[in-house]
């Protein structure tokens, strides 16, 4: 009888130890998975939580839980062409009115994300969270541009935000598999909708208007 009790205690202790170790492995593995998934956005979240890795991972984990199942919607070729033309117009506008251009670009990117199936841009934090789950490597420029659109940046900062936000624009406006057979000779982040290299002249003009 005593032997049976001892064996039972040993088994219970072993199971408890296994569960504790298992939880630790899951937590560490989850952290590595989040860091791999979010990249620089992971470091940004940790910084926003004053170095509290656990709190940052909880926030990022909640983003994944809420938005990972989101299905991105394709754009029609007509909508894609219209968005590219509008973005090119905004870039041209930046030379004369950086603040107005950044505000327009922020609204344009929010509308594009909405049309691709992300939450509406009027709820920026929710839309940004969803975008970070699916396009983490490209969202920082959108955050900077949204800040600039609210008048909290200088001209050079606005220009840099526009340039960086273009990567998310290109990802969202890119051809989807359903119509990829139409082909495209355009290289993302190297040409605008009119076939010109973006910001070749704008940076010089922007610096001349720097505030």
């Amino acid at each position: 009888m005593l032997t049976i009790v001892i064996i039972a205690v040993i088994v219970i202790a072993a199971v408890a130890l296994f569960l504790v170790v298992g939880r630790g492995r899951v937590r560490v593995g989850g952290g590595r998975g989040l860091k791999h998934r979010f990249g620089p956005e992971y470091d940004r979240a940790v910084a926003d939580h004053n170095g509290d890795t656990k709190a940052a991972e909880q926030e990022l984990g909640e983003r994944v839980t809420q938005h990972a199942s989101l299905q991105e919607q394709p754009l029609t070729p007509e909508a894609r062409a219209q968005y590219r033309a509008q973005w090119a117009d905004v870039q041209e506008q930046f030379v004369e009115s950086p603040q107005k251009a950044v505000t327009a670009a922020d609204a344009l990117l929010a509308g594009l994300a909405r049309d691709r199936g992300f939450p509406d841009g009027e709820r920026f934090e929710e839309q940004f969270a969803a975008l970070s789950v699916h396009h983490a490597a490209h969202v920082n420029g959108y955050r900077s541009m949204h800040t600039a659109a609210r008048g909290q940046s200088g001209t050079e900062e606005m220009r840099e935000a526009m340039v960086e936000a273009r990567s998310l624009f290109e990802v969202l406006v890119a051809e989807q598999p359903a119509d990829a057979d139409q082909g495209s000779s355009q290289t993302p982040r190297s040409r605008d909708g009119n076939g010109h290299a973006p910001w070749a002249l704008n940076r010089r003009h922007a610096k001349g208007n720097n505030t």
Side-chain angles (χ1 to χ4, degrees), residues 106-145:
D106 182 57
L108 179 63
L109 198 49
L112 172 57
R114 181 198 61 220
D115 287 351
R116 288 299 313 276
F118 290 93
D120 192 279
E122 293 183 359
R123 298 170 295 172
F124 174 76
E125 295 299 333
E126 183 181 357
Q127 186 184 71
F128 184 89
L131 285 166
S132 72
V133 171
H134 293 267
H135 302 292
H138 304 284
V139 294
N140 189 61
Y142 185 26
R143 176 195 283 115
S144 299
M145 190 170 67

Side-chain angles (χ1 to χ4, degrees), residues 107-186:
L108 179 63
L109 198 49
L112 172 57
R114 181 198 61 220
D115 287 351
R116 288 299 313 276
F118 290 93
D120 192 279
E122 293 183 359
R123 298 170 295 172
F124 174 76
E125 295 299 333
E126 183 181 357
Q127 186 184 71
F128 184 89
L131 285 166
S132 72
V133 171
H134 293 267
H135 302 292
H138 304 284
V139 294
N140 189 61
Y142 185 26
R143 176 195 283 115
S144 299
M145 190 170 67
H146 188 71
T147 299
R150 291 180 291 175
Q152 300 177 22
S153 303
T155 302
E156 181 62 15
E157 291 175 310
M158 287 189 283
R159 186 199 66 79
E160 292 175 354
M162 285 277 289
V163 171
E164 191 175 4
R166 182 180 174 87
S167 68
L168 179 61
F169 172 81
E170 289 291 352
V171 167
L172 294 178
V173 83
E175 291 183 350
Q176 281 77 56
D179 53 18
D181 59 341
Q182 296 180 17
S184 174
S185 59
Q186 208 165 27

